Amino acid sequence: MPKSHIRILLVDDDEIDLESFSRHINETGLPYDLISVRSKAAALRQIKESIFDVILLDFELGDGTGLELLPEIQDTPAIMITGCGSEKIAVEAMRLGARDYLIKDSDRSYLTVLPITIENVLARKRVEDEQERLICELQEALAQVKSLQGILPICGRCKKIRNDQGAWSHVEQ
């Protein structure tokens, strides 16, 4: 069974970085459908028009920062990738919702770590979505149990039923 393609929005104003990532995808055969944009404004348009599995954000963009985009992304996992990072930027990115943070290095070895990072972020998102679904199911089941409790009071140990006067009697009666 072929791998499903992962839709990625890459937001980076550096043409060399965009080309390096695209070349890395082609050379390694990664199952990515890549859309690249070079500005905050173009990223906002893409986010409104399309659905992505993951968004890769550079910190410095010509018309803003990747941090400014994080609140707009909402439910799509985002990974900050920057060459001018600091601990302060990393903490702020994570606080605003980034799922991970990578530092671009001059020899571009971060590209070898990026596919693993993307897969880990997507796996964590799937687990969170499943957890949310299960919590909703449990809340619905609890609501049903609460409504059923008032209908027929039955003792779990002796299996007797309580009547309207509060007396317990056998189910057969």
Side-chain angles (χ1 to χ4, degrees), residues 52-164:
F52 296 96
D53 297 310
V54 68
I55 298 175
L56 308 177
L57 294 172
D58 188 18
F59 174 67
E60 287 186 2
L61 303 169
D63 59 348
T65 69
L67 292 178
E68 295 167 346
L69 281 170
L70 284 169
E72 303 296 326
I73 291 171
Q74 298 172 0
D75 199 35
T76 304
I79 301 170
M80 289 288 297
I81 305 172
T82 184
C84 63
S86 68
E87 287 179 11
K88 182 180 177 183
I89 292 171
V91 168
E92 184 65 10
M94 301 303 264
R95 188 187 70 74
L96 290 171
R99 301 292 182 105
D100 214 324
Y101 186 91
L102 294 176
I103 303 285
K104 294 179 188 174
D105 50 334
S106 57
D107 60 352
R108 294 190 172 37
S109 60
Y110 75 94
L111 291 173
T112 59
V113 179
L114 189 55
I116 296 164
T117 305
I118 290 171
E119 191 53 45
N120 287 342
V121 163
L122 291 175
R124 193 166 61 232
K125 171 83 167 105
R126 284 188 296 271
V127 167
E128 289 169 0
D129 288 348
E130 178 67 6
Q131 180 182 18
E132 188 174 320
R133 185 187 68 76
L134 290 172
I135 288 171
C136 287
E137 282 182 19
L138 284 172
Q139 287 172 337
E140 288 173 12
L142 180 60
Q144 287 178 345
V145 166
K146 285 183 178 181
S147 68
L148 291 175
Q149 277 180 335
I151 295 174
L152 186 63
I154 186 167
C155 177
R157 189 175 41 128
C158 68
K159 308 298 186 230
K160 290 183 177 180
I161 298 174
R162 188 175 62 219
N163 63 24
D164 292 338

